[in-house]
Amino acid sequence: LRHPNVARLLDGGETADGRPWFAMELVEGAPIDRHVQATAPDIAARVALFLGVADAVRAAHERLLVHRDIKPANVLVGAGGNVKLLD
């Protein structure tokens, strides 16, 4: 899944005891709720953040992927206000 608002999956597999693992790109930023509290963006900026998340989810759904754990800790806001959906 390649999308500007989705963290890239770099690798994955299974441990010796059968547990799955995956490695994603490093995204430096703050969880979306902490970002909003710290920066107090206006309504237009808040809507822009939301639309970035919604577009990431849309892209996943188009590829029949369901996230199942969307929460503030899984949405980071990086430099320039770019949102990235993790996990």
Side-chain angles (χ1 to χ4, degrees):
L1 179 61
R2 290 178 187 248
H3 189 276
N5 299 109
V6 176
R8 287 187 329 262
L9 179 64
L10 301 175
D11 200 3
E14 196 172 280
T15 64
D17 60 356
R19 293 183 297 165
W21 65 270
F22 61 92
M24 301 184 80
E25 74 173 295
L26 174 63
V27 177
E28 296 196 28
I32 194 167
D33 58 341
R34 283 197 243 151
H35 170 78
V36 168
Q37 288 172 348
T39 62
D42 63 18
I43 295 297
R46 290 173 192 237
V47 169
L49 290 172
F50 174 77
L51 291 176
V53 176
D55 198 43
V57 172
R58 177 204 49 81
H61 287 180
E62 285 179 347
R63 289 160 184 82
L64 302 178
L65 298 170
V66 178
H67 191 287
R68 294 182 39 169
D69 192 29
I70 298 173
K71 59 188 177 190
N74 287 337
V75 179
L76 297 185
V77 182
N82 187 43
V83 294
K84 286 276 191 169
L85 182 61
L86 310 177
D87 293 351

